[in-house]
Amino acid sequence: MQKNNVLIMGDSYSTFAGAIPEGYGPYYPENDQWKTDVLDVRQTWWHQVVTAMGANLVRNDSWSGAPICYTGYDNADVSKSSSFIYRLRKLKKDGFFAQNQIHTVFVFGGTNDSWCGAPLGQPMESGWEENDLYCVLPAISCYLQELKQTLPEAKIYCLINNNLQPEIEDALKASCGRLGIETIFFDRIDKENDHPTAQGMGDIKDQVLAAIAGK
């Protein structure tokens, strides 16, 4: 019997140096600005979840500071680098999905869209132009729809950080509801410098596994 093949698409919360693609920016285990107490990849939420599932992690496509939309910090254009939309499209273009059968996807994004000052724009369920994707709300809908269309048979979980801008949380919830993507909201994540501590990683893991188990 084939193992459950997992894909993670995330931002800093899901990074760990050496466990993400070359050229991607990590936050954990340490970065230039902050020390963290997450010093072993086995402490990360995703490593704990995948291990508990007995699954096979095919790729951790996570990039620190990455927004879903095309607008990054200091109004940087990330339409051809870290944005979730670009990374998904690049995986498709590079044949990743043709070469790998993915059964489960964990999406953990929206945090940098909430923090970086990107324009929200207006919700759009279809008809996006590339310029629309520099705004958060159209980008969320576009990204999740493209992901669902790319992997229609996969089980997709959208992990939603606490303390996001309400409009962003609502957009994630609405798009997931429309597309049949399961949402996981967190009532607790222990953090330091707005990032999960080792305890926070455990908090995420516990709540993700409870959601998977239907508890």
Side-chain angles (χ1 to χ4, degrees), residues 69-82:
C69 73
Y70 286 169
T71 304
Y73 289 90
D74 299 320
N75 207 38
D77 185 336
V78 294
S79 61
K80 296 293 188 291
S81 56
S82 64

Side-chain angles (χ1 to χ4, degrees), residues 43-133:
Q43 294 174 286
T44 61
W45 73 264
W46 50 269
H47 193 283
Q48 295 180 71
V49 167
V50 171
T51 300
M53 292 170 62
N56 174 46
L57 179 61
V58 178
R59 182 180 179 97
N60 182 352
D61 201 278
S62 298
W63 191 323
S64 183
I68 295 172
C69 73
Y70 286 169
T71 304
Y73 289 90
D74 299 320
N75 207 38
D77 185 336
V78 294
S79 61
K80 296 293 188 291
S81 56
S82 64
S83 68
F84 278 59
I85 295 172
Y86 175 73
R87 287 186 281 134
L88 174 61
R89 291 177 175 176
K90 189 172 190 303
L91 288 176
K92 290 162 62 177
K93 181 180 178 182
D94 291 348
F96 173 81
F97 297 108
Q99 298 164 13
N100 297 279
Q101 184 177 10
I102 300 297
H103 304 103
T104 303
V105 184
F106 294 107
V107 175
F108 203 169
T111 298
N112 292 298
D113 301 83
S114 192
W115 290 351
C116 76
L120 289 176
Q122 297 299 318
M124 297 175 65
E125 294 186 9
S126 61
W128 311 277
E129 303 287 343
E130 283 293 285
N131 282 340
D132 296 320
L133 304 182

Side-chain angles (χ1 to χ4, degrees), residues 157 182 207-215:
Y157 295 93
E182 184 165 343
Q207 292 167 89
V208 170
L209 290 177
I212 291 172
K215 296 179 181 178

